[in-house]
Amino acid sequence: MQQNTKISQFSFKKLLDNETFAAWFFLAPALILLGVFVIGPIGYLFYLSFTNGSFTKDGITWVGLKNYLRLILNPDFSQVLWNTVYFTIATVIPSIVIPLLLAVLLNQNIILRGFLRTSYFLPSIISLVAAGLGFRWLFQNEGPVNALLNNLGIDSISWLSSTTWAMPVIILLSIWKQLGFNMVVFLAGLQAIPISRYEAAELDGADNWKQFWFVTLPGLRPTLIFSTITTVIFTLRSFEQVYVISGGGPLNSTNLLVYYIYQEAFGQFDFGYAAAAATVLLAITMVLVYLQLRTWNEDS
């Protein structure tokens, strides 16, 4: 009995000495969790998009590409897709540029630097629902923003009931929410750039702009990749802003893809169609992340 135990222990130890086996052995728990909670649900979502998605007693019925054809032919989906593109571009660019400039400024020895860092980071820890309610109060017809405009001699604007101005309010909230997180990430990236590079650039006669363009930006390349990808993902999955502030209105002008999926799944109980829309969202996200990584790799 003891001999068999020693043999099994020896065999197991020998297997662990194999680097490939040892790697898979220690990765197995994480891979199992990843498969159960990520890959599995994604696979089921993809399957559900080819069915009617009915959870009634009649059961699920295979419908093939019908849900995807409905997406293509549905004008509401086209508008939602355009809204999402507009919202993503208008949110991501300022959410990268503004925090980058603030990080460069706060990286200098300025007065109240610690206080300013904390102030800019506070939006990141505030609930999106609470922030959305605050912005809804600010931009209501009789709210503080219109009161300020009236004091300046400008007529009030129906921010949340206007097809022109409702989306900018949601974009402003999203930028404000993402600003602090990206700023802290950029600050960490700036502190990782060796001071000797700036000293060498200064000896070569480079001014502040040239130092920023030829030293800071190249040194922040990995940080920019990370911030851009996380900001794009945060923007594409936006739901709370629309739910709290506008509910997708007016006239579907602020309806984003995630909120549209929610409406179809839990408002209309059309789970197959909602799964097809969610699959499109997943595909868009993966393509954008791939293009960003490829662009940065080609530039490096």
Side-chain angles (χ1 to χ4, degrees), residues 80-94 167-175 231-232 234-239 241-242 254-257:
V80 168
L81 206 57
W82 163 247
N83 291 343
T84 305
V85 171
Y86 164 45
F87 173 76
T88 302
I89 294 174
T91 300
V92 170
I93 295 176
M167 182 65 85
V169 172
I170 296 176
I171 291 171
L172 182 62
L173 168 58
S174 301
I175 294 171
T231 304
V232 167
F234 167 81
T235 305
L236 286 175
R237 69 172 183 81
S238 296
F239 170 80
Q241 303 97 306
V242 180
T254 61
N255 199 352
L256 302 179
L257 199 46

Side-chain angles (χ1 to χ4, degrees), residues 21-297:
F21 176 81
W24 283 107
F25 177 78
F26 290 112
L27 285 174
L31 291 175
I32 292 172
L33 291 174
L34 185 68
V36 171
F37 294 104
V38 179
I39 299 176
I42 290 176
Y44 183 71
L45 173 73
F46 186 66
Y47 158 74
L48 200 64
S49 68
F50 293 98
T51 70
N52 63 348
S54 174
F55 294 101
T56 62
K57 64 180 181 179
D58 296 331
I60 293 177
T61 304
W62 184 268
V63 297
L65 296 173
K66 181 179 178 181
N67 291 323
Y68 291 96
L69 291 175
R70 286 177 58 195
L71 287 176
I72 295 173
L73 299 175
N74 191 343
D76 288 339
F77 180 74
S78 300
Q79 183 178 359
V80 168
L81 206 57
W82 163 247
N83 291 343
T84 305
V85 171
Y86 164 45
F87 173 76
T88 302
I89 294 174
T91 300
V92 170
I93 295 176
S95 296
I96 297 297
V97 175
I98 297 174
L100 176 59
L101 297 178
L102 287 174
V104 171
L105 177 64
L106 294 178
N107 197 45
Q108 310 298 321
N109 291 321
I110 62 173
I111 301 175
L112 300 176
R113 181 174 62 175
F115 171 76
L116 290 173
R117 286 179 179 179
T118 305
S119 300
Y120 285 123
F121 185 72
L122 277 177
S124 300
I125 61 176
I126 296 175
S127 166
L128 254 178
V129 174
L133 291 173
F135 267 70
R136 184 171 181 173
W137 171 73
L138 286 172
F139 287 93
Q140 62 183 335
N141 290 339
E142 303 299 328
V145 174
N146 276 335
L148 177 62
L149 292 178
N150 292 336
N151 290 334
L152 296 174
I154 302 173
D155 294 336
S156 297
I157 299 175
S158 300
W159 298 96
L160 304 181
S161 58
S162 168
T163 56
T164 302
W165 293 107
M167 182 65 85
V169 172
I170 296 176
I171 291 171
L172 182 62
L173 168 58
S174 301
I175 294 171
W176 177 80
K177 189 72 173 64
Q178 191 70 9
L179 185 147
F181 175 81
N182 284 343
M183 187 197 68
V184 170
V185 172
F186 285 132
L187 278 170
L190 287 170
Q191 293 171 7
I193 300 175
I195 299 296
S196 58
R197 295 184 183 179
Y198 292 100
E199 293 174 348
E202 190 172 354
L203 288 174
D204 290 337
D207 56 19
N208 291 334
W209 169 250
K210 289 183 178 179
Q211 289 181 30
F212 173 78
W213 189 257
F214 294 105
V215 178
T216 302
L217 286 183
L220 285 176
R221 188 183 303 277
T223 308
L224 283 168
I225 295 173
F226 172 79
S227 297
T228 304
I229 290 175
T230 53
T231 304
V232 167
I233 293 174
F234 167 81
T235 305
L236 286 175
R237 69 172 183 81
S238 296
F239 170 80
E240 294 93 334
Q241 303 97 306
V242 180
Y243 184 83
V244 174
I245 293 180
S246 65
L251 300 177
N252 218 30
S253 62
T254 61
N255 199 352
L256 302 179
L257 199 46
V258 174
Y259 189 77
Y260 181 75
I261 294 167
Y262 164 79
Q263 285 180 316
E264 295 298 325
F266 301 104
Q268 305 297 327
F269 295 100
D270 195 348
F271 292 101
Y273 181 72
T279 304
V280 171
L281 174 61
L282 176 64
I284 292 172
T285 305
M286 294 178 67
V287 168
L288 288 176
V289 171
Y290 169 75
L291 291 176
Q292 289 167 14
L293 290 173
R294 183 174 178 180
T295 301
W296 283 106
N297 289 334

